[in-house]
Amino acid sequence: MDRAFAGERTKHEFFMKEALLEAEKALRKGEIPIGAVLVQDGAIIGRGHNLRETAHDPTAHAEIIALREAGAKLSSWRLPGAILYVTLEPCPMCAGAMIQARIERVVYGADDPKAGCAGTLLNLLQYPGFNHRVKITGGILAEEAAGLLQQFFQERRKK
């Protein structure tokens, strides 16, 4: 996993804050608060937040929604040079979608010890057998991202 340099970290934090805003939208809907934004050439080309419960769709993860929005906007499933910012380390499905989309990098907030495929549980994004590898930067605004998840699950346990 790559470490972010000072100027790069500032850029990553800016876009991670946008992903956190998406996560807050999910939280307000009673969804697990995960948010994502997809950036290409310094502009956001896709946004998404978790909608699995709302849409009754196991594929309605924040990353998938952001990738779909960007693909529709650009009329292409190939998104070379794009950076996906997501508040939680990607799961196997989302990691696979990022590889398929040929994104350049994923930047995530909190590690996911149960399903993280950017190096925590396993690293699908850089598996040498695949035809594309995605660069990884983790731990950007991790406390804020983890805090939203903790808030959600604490509230859920109270109910």
Side-chain angles (χ1 to χ4, degrees):
M1 180 178 349
D2 295 342
R3 297 276 177 224
F5 296 106
E8 193 174 62
R9 185 166 183 87
T10 301
K11 175 184 76 169
H12 290 334
E13 287 177 355
F14 175 84
F15 288 114
M16 186 60 72
K17 286 177 183 174
E18 292 294 316
L20 286 164
L21 291 174
E22 290 295 318
E24 289 170 2
K25 290 178 187 177
L27 183 65
R28 287 192 296 275
K29 294 176 181 177
E31 296 276 359
I32 296 174
I34 301 168
V37 295
L38 191 63
V39 175
Q40 192 173 54
D41 298 323
I44 295 173
I45 58 171
R47 294 178 173 272
H49 54 274
N50 195 21
L51 288 172
R52 290 188 307 173
E53 300 298 329
T54 304
H56 310 289
D57 179 356
T59 70
H61 289 204
E63 301 97 318
I64 301 296
I65 293 166
L67 287 165
R68 287 177 179 160
E69 184 176 289
K73 183 176 186 176
L74 301 178
S75 299
S76 179
W77 58 268
R78 292 178 191 89
L79 303 167
I83 301 172
L84 194 142
Y85 292 84
V86 61
T87 57
L88 184 66
E89 182 179 3
C91 73
M93 175 185 67
C94 293
M98 290 177 212
I99 293 164
Q100 292 297 316
R102 313 296 197 269
I103 70 163
E104 180 178 327
R105 177 180 300 276
V106 63
V107 177
Y108 72 87
D111 291 340
D112 185 353
K114 294 182 180 177
C117 286
T120 298
L121 186 63
L122 56 106
N123 187 349
L124 284 178
L125 293 167
Q126 296 177 336
Y127 182 73
F130 293 142
N131 65 334
H132 179 76
R133 285 170 222 37
V134 177
K135 296 173 187 168
I136 302 166
T137 302
I140 303 295
L141 301 182
E143 289 181 20
E144 291 89 334
L148 280 175
L149 291 163
Q150 289 166 351
Q151 176 187 345
F152 174 82
F153 287 110
Q154 285 172 353
E155 289 297 318
R156 182 175 260 189
R157 281 190 282 280
K158 285 180 188 176
K159 294 178 184 176

